[in-house]
Amino acid sequence: MVATMLTVMIVLLALGFPMMIPMLAASVVVILFFMPNVDPIFLVQQMMEGISSYVLLAVPLFIFAADIMSTGKTSKRLLDFVGSFVGHVRGGYAITTAAACTLFGSISGSTQATVVAIGKPMRKRLLSVGYKDSSAIALIINASDVALLIPPSIGMIIYALAAPNVSVGDLFIAGIGPGVLIFLMFAIYSYIHAKIFNIPLGEKMSWRDRGKTTVRALFPLGFPVIIVGGIYFGYFSPTEAAGISVLYALILEVLIFRSIKVFDIPKIALSTGLVTAAVFILVAAGQAFSWLISYARIPRLLTETVIPADPTALQVLLIVAIFFFIGCMFVDPIVVILILTPIFYPVAVQAGVDPVHLGVVITFQAALGSATPPFGVDIFTASAVFNKSYLDVIRGTPPYIIMLLIASVLIILFEDISLFLLRFM
Amino acid sequence: STEGDNGASGGETYDWRFVVEETEGQVQYEYAQEFAELLNEKTDGQVNIDVYDFGSLGSEVDQVEGVQQGMFEMGIISPGFTGGLVAEGQVFSLQFLFPDDQEVTQEILNTSEALNTHLVELYEAQNLKPLAFMSEGAMQWTGNRELRTPDDFNGFKMRTQSSPLMLETYGAYGADPSPLSWSELYVSLDRGVVDGQENPIFFIEDASFHEVQDHMTISNHNTYVAMVTINPGIYNDLPEDIRTALDETVEEMRDRGFEIQDQLNEELLDSIVNDTDNPTEVIELTEEERAEFRELQLPIRDFFRDEIIGDEGREMFDLLLEEIAEHE
Amino acid sequence: MNVIRKLDYGLMKLEEYILSYSIIIIAVMVVGNVLSRSIFGSSWSFANEVSQMAVIIATFIGISYAARKGRHISMSAFFDLAPYPIRKGLAIFIPAVTAVILFILAYYSYGYFLSVHGTGRVTTSMQMPVYMMAIFLPIGFTLGGIQFLRNMWINIKEKDVYLAQDKKDYS
Ligand code: NA
Ligand code: NA
C-alpha cells in the first residue's frame, strides 16, 4: 500500500501535475484499493477541515495587508527608511530581511504569514539592489521558518500538549538560543554572499537624509508598533493582528496618503483571493493525505521498525530529527508534531533526553522540513505569492538547507544551545 | 471493521479502532487503553482494540462522524462536540445542575434512566450508541483575577464556545464569552486578550494554562462528561458472547474511569499548587458562594428547556431533574 | 458558441466577485470582532464561523479561477525541459487526468453534502446547517474539472502549448 501510494505521488509530481493532484490521487487510489471500510467522503471532509483552522486566517489577511501596502505608498516608504540606514552596509538588505523575518515570524507565529508580510516588500527591494531572485526568495523562506522556533511558537504549544509535564514557558525560553544561532548564521552568510556576488553598495546617507526618510516613514512605522504593542498589551491575538494590519494599511493608504480609492479595494482583494485559493487547496489536500496515513498507522509502523532496543540519547535524537524532517517535507508541521511526539517522547525520555530539549529539536526539524521540497508549505506560499514557478522558488535554497543541517547537528550535539538560558532562570 | 476468519461466532476475531479526543496521559486515552486490555482479556484475545489518540484525524467533530460512519468502531466523544447534532447533549454544559459531590454525580451518570435510556435513544437516532457516560472531573475556572462571586465576572472576557447556551450561561454572570482557538489560548491568556478559561484540572495543567494565569477557582461549576460510544450497526451485529463481554467491560470500567480521572486531577492539582516558578492562587468556593452562582443559573435551565431542546428532550430533562433531586 | 462564451465570461466574473468579497468579509469579521470586544466589551460570536465559511468558499471556488489563470502550483522541471512533442502531449494529458480526479472528488463531496444534509448538523454559534458550507465543495470541484477540460481542449485545438486557457507557455 505504501509503495503504491508513493509511486502514484512521485510519478504525478514529476510529470508536473498541479501539486494538489499527486496527494489527492494517491489518497483516492489507496482508499479504493486498500481500504474497503473507509468511506471516500472522508477525503473531502478532511479537506474542509484542513482549511478550517482559525490560525490559518492570518495568511489571507497578511497577504491582503501586504497587497494594499505595496499598491500604495507604505511599503516604499518603509523600505526607503531601512535603506537609508543599511543600504551602504555589505549584505545590509539581506541581513535586514533575515532580521525582519525572524522578528515578524516570532510575533505572528506563522511562517506562511511571514513569507507574505515581510517577503513581499523586501523581495522587490532586494531585486532592485542587485540580488538574484532565487537568492532573495530562498532567504525569505528560510528566515521565515526560524519563526517556528521563537516565541510565541505554535509548534511548541502543540508539542507541550502532546508531551506530558513540559512547560510551554520553558520551551519558549529554550527556543531563543537556537533561533539566535540560526539568525547569526544567516547574517554571516548574507555578508559573504554579498561579497562573492559583488552586490553593489548604496551610498552612505547623511543623517539629514536619514531624518527625511524617517519622517516620511513615521506613519508606516506605526505598523510594527501597533502589531507588536497590540499583541503585547493584549488587545488582540496574533491571528487578529493580521486583521488589524489590514485595517491600518487601509487607513494609511485610503485616508492619509489617498493613494488607493475605496473602489480599488475589491480588485486588490481579488489578487489576494487568488493566491489564498492556490495555497489553501494544497493545505486542504495535505490534511486529507495526512488523515489517511495516520488512519493507516503508517507513521507508527515506520517508527517501530526504526527505533533500536535500548537506544542512546544521541540515537533517539538523530532518529527524531530524520523523521520530523522527512515528515514535514510532506505534511503540515503541526500535524507531524501531533502524530509523532507521542511515539518518540517516552523512548527519548527513557534514553535520557531532556524533554524541553526534545521539544526544541522537534520544533526545529519541523521548521526545517516545511521549507524543504517537495511539499514544504512555505514553498507553495512563496510560489503563489511571488507568482514564480516552483523550481524558481527552490533554486536558491541549497545553501540554506546546508546551513540549517549544520545548525541541527549543533543543536542535537550541544543541548546547552537550547537549555543554557533556562539555567539562569 | 470486523475481519472474520470464519462465519461462526466461536473463533472470529475483531480488530477495532477506538478513537479518543485526548492524548497519552489524559483521561480518555488512559481509559481507552484499560478498556482495550480488559475486553481483550475477557474475550481471550478475540477483540483487539487499537486506540487512536487525538492527532491528525481531524477535529473532534470529524471523529464523531468517523464513529457514525463505522470507520472507527468505538470512540469517546464529548457531548459538547455533538451540540449541532443532538442539542440535548448540551445538558452537560448546564452549570450547577449536578450535585457538588463528584461521586454522587458519577452515580447519577451510571444509573440515570433519563441519560442511559432517553438521551441514548436521541444519539442512536444519529447512528451513535453511547455505552456509558463518564466524568473527566469537575470543571474549574482560571483567571487573571480572583473569581469568587458573580460580580467578579463583570466584564470578564471568558474563553468559551460561542453557542447560544454558553452566551446565556456566562451572560448571566455579566461576563463576555469570547470564542478563541485552542492553539492561541496560551498566548492570549498570557497577554490578556481573554481573561480566563474553564477546563478540568488535568487539562489546565497539561496545556500549561496555569503558567499564564494567576488565579484558579475550584468552582466545580459542572462536570466534564464524555460518552463512551460504539457504532450501533457494529454493536447489533455482535454475537452474544462478545456483546456480553463488551457490556461487562463497560460496567467494570465505570469505577475505573472515575478513579483514573480522580487520580489525575488530584496529582495535577498538586503540580499546579507546587509550581513555585508560576505561582497560582487557588481558592475553593464555599457552599454559600456556590449557591449564589447556582441561583443565577436557574433561569438558564428554563432557557435550555424552552429554546434549545425538543419535546423528547424536555421529557428527558424533566426526568433528569427528578433523578438529581432524589440524590440530594 | 457565443452563448457559451458569454456564460463562461459571466461565470468568471462571478468567481472573481466571490473570491474578492470572501477576503473582504474575512477582514471585516476579524477586525470587527477585535473592535467590538475592546470597545464595547462584547465579542462577535458569529465572526469565526463567517470567516471559516468565507475561507471554504474562496478555496473551492478558487480551484476553477486558479485553473483559468494557470496559477495552480506545480513542479514543472520535467515539463519545462521536455521537447515540444512531449510537452504538447503532457499539456493534454495533465489537464485531462486532473479533470478526472476533480470530477471524482466532486462526486465524493456530493456524497459528503448528502451525509451532512442527512444528519442536519448545525454550527455551534450561528446554528447554521453545515451542508450550506459543504455544498461549495461539489460546486468547486465540478467547476474546476470543467476548467481543466477547457485547458485540455485548447491544447488539442491550437498548435502552441497552453498552460491554461488564459496563459500561453512562452518558454
Ligand atoms: Na504538557
Ligand atoms: Na500561575
Side-chain angles (χ1 to χ4, degrees), chain A residues 233-271:
Chain A
F233 291 107
Y235 289 106
F236 36 75
S237 75
T239 300
E240 289 170 342
I244 297 300
S245 71
V246 171
L247 178 68
Y248 191 65
L250 282 175
I251 290 174
L252 287 191
E253 301 295 354
V254 177
L255 296 180
I256 298 179
F257 301 151
R258 295 180 180 275
S259 50
I260 292 180
K261 294 194 181 64
V262 174
F263 300 111
D264 298 334
I265 296 173
K267 221 174 92 188
I268 300 174
L270 173 62
S271 113

Side-chain angles (χ1 to χ4, degrees), chain B residues 129-150:
Chain B
K129 184 177 173 64
L131 296 169
F133 297 90
M134 61 184 281
S135 158
E136 295 192 39
M139 297 276 276
Q140 320 297 358
W141 289 316
T142 68
N144 56 11
R145 63 178 192 235
E146 190 177 270
L147 296 168
R148 194 185 279 280
T149 67

Side-chain angles (χ1 to χ4, degrees), chain B residues 207-220:
Chain B
S208 307
F209 293 147
H210 66 288
E211 291 176 8
V212 286
Q213 296 269 269
D214 295 331
H215 298 273
M216 180 159 88
T217 302
I218 306 295
S219 52
N220 297 341

Side-chain angles (χ1 to χ4, degrees), chain A residues 37-39 41-42 45-46 49 54-55 108 152 154 157-158 160-170 172 230-240 287 290-291 294-297 300 335 338-339 342-343 346, chain B residues 1 17 23-26 50-59 61-63 65-67 69-73 157 179-184 186-188 190-194 203 205-208 211 268 271 277-278:
Chain A
N37 67 318
V38 172
D39 190 330
I41 67 172
F42 267 79
Q45 181 223 44
Q46 286 305 308
E49 173 62 32
Y54 176 75
V55 192
S108 73
I154 293 174
I157 290 177
I158 301 290
L161 185 78
N165 310 321
V166 176
S167 142
V168 176
D170 287 353
F172 280 1
I231 295 174
Y232 188 81
F233 291 107
Y235 289 106
F236 36 75
S237 75
T239 300
E240 289 170 342
Q287 172 62 30
S290 53
W291 185 91
S294 26
Y295 184 80
R297 288 296 205 194
R300 201 176 64 174
V335 174
L338 270 174
I339 305 177
I343 299 174
Chain B
S1 79
R17 299 171 183 86
T23 54
E24 207 170 329
Q26 300 183 338
D50 194 359
V51 179
Y52 281 68
D53 58 352
F54 191 71
S56 62
L57 296 168
S59 67
V61 175
D62 298 342
Q63 297 186 354
E65 288 187 357
V67 180
Q69 309 278 350
M71 290 180 12
F72 296 101
E73 285 75 9
K157 289 186 295 257
L180 197 73
S181 142
W182 180 86
S183 56
E184 287 199 314
Y186 180 91
V187 177
S188 300
D190 189 26
R191 305 288 16 133
V193 176
V194 289
F203 195 86
E205 206 281 343
D206 229 14
S208 307
E211 291 176 8
L268 295 178
S271 157
D277 291 344
N278 304 287

Side-chain angles (χ1 to χ4, degrees), chain B residues 117-189:
Chain B
T117 306
H118 295 256
L119 186 59
V120 163
E121 277 169 11
L122 291 168
Y123 275 100
E124 279 177 329
Q126 293 287 357
N127 219 29
L128 273 177
K129 184 177 173 64
L131 296 169
F133 297 90
M134 61 184 281
S135 158
E136 295 192 39
M139 297 276 276
Q140 320 297 358
W141 289 316
T142 68
N144 56 11
R145 63 178 192 235
E146 190 177 270
L147 296 168
R148 194 185 279 280
T149 67
D151 274 349
D152 295 330
F153 273 101
N154 223 324
F156 189 87
K157 289 186 295 257
M158 186 73 185
R159 185 267 185 172
T160 175
Q161 270 197 335
S162 58
S163 64
L165 183 62
M166 291 322 276
L167 294 183
E168 290 291 321
T169 299
Y170 279 100
Y173 305 143
D176 170 25
S178 312
L180 197 73
S181 142
W182 180 86
S183 56
E184 287 199 314
L185 185 50
Y186 180 91
V187 177
S188 300
L189 288 170

Side-chain angles (χ1 to χ4, degrees), chain A residues 182-394:
Chain A
I182 294 158
F183 170 72
L184 288 178
M185 288 175 97
F186 286 1
I188 294 167
Y189 173 78
S190 296
Y191 178 83
I192 297 170
H193 174 273
K195 201 152 190 168
I196 292 174
F197 287 89
N198 212 2
I199 306 289
L201 295 182
E203 227 174 279
K204 186 169 179 176
M205 297 262 239
S206 67
W207 280 104
R208 197 189 147 83
D209 288 337
R210 286 178 181 169
K212 271 188 202 156
T213 59
T214 309
V215 170
R216 283 168 53 80
L218 271 185
F219 277 120
L221 279 174
F223 175 67
V225 172
I226 287 178
I227 299 296
V228 177
I231 295 174
Y232 188 81
F233 291 107
Y235 289 106
F236 36 75
S237 75
T239 300
E240 289 170 342
I244 297 300
S245 71
V246 171
L247 178 68
Y248 191 65
L250 282 175
I251 290 174
L252 287 191
E253 301 295 354
V254 177
L255 296 180
I256 298 179
F257 301 151
R258 295 180 180 275
S259 50
I260 292 180
K261 294 194 181 64
V262 174
F263 300 111
D264 298 334
I265 296 173
K267 221 174 92 188
I268 300 174
L270 173 62
S271 113
T272 306
L274 178 58
V275 172
T276 305
V279 175
F280 275 29
I281 194 67
L282 295 176
V283 175
Q287 172 62 30
F289 179 70
S290 53
W291 185 91
L292 203 66
I293 60 169
S294 26
Y295 184 80
R297 288 296 205 194
I298 290 172
R300 201 176 64 174
L301 292 176
L302 289 178
T303 47
E304 274 170 2
T305 44
V306 165
I307 300 174
D310 263 330
T312 65
L314 188 61
Q315 278 175 328
V316 177
L317 283 177
L318 283 176
I319 296 172
V320 164
I322 293 167
F323 263 83
F324 277 84
F325 175 65
I326 296 177
C328 293
M329 286 162 60
F330 292 92
V331 178
D332 186 71
I334 301 297
V335 174
V336 177
I337 294 174
L338 270 174
I339 305 177
L340 291 184
T341 302
I343 299 174
F344 283 115
Y345 183 86
V347 187
V349 172
Q350 177 118 50
V353 179
D354 183 283
V356 172
H357 182 57
L358 178 69
V360 172
V361 170
I362 283 177
T363 316
F364 177 64
Q365 294 303 325
L368 180 50
S370 62
T372 308
F375 291 116
V377 72
D378 294 313
I379 299 173
F380 300 153
T381 311
S383 173
V385 168
F386 304 137
N387 197 10
K388 297 292 286 184
S389 87
Y390 186 87
L391 268 194
D392 287 341
V393 170
I394 62 173

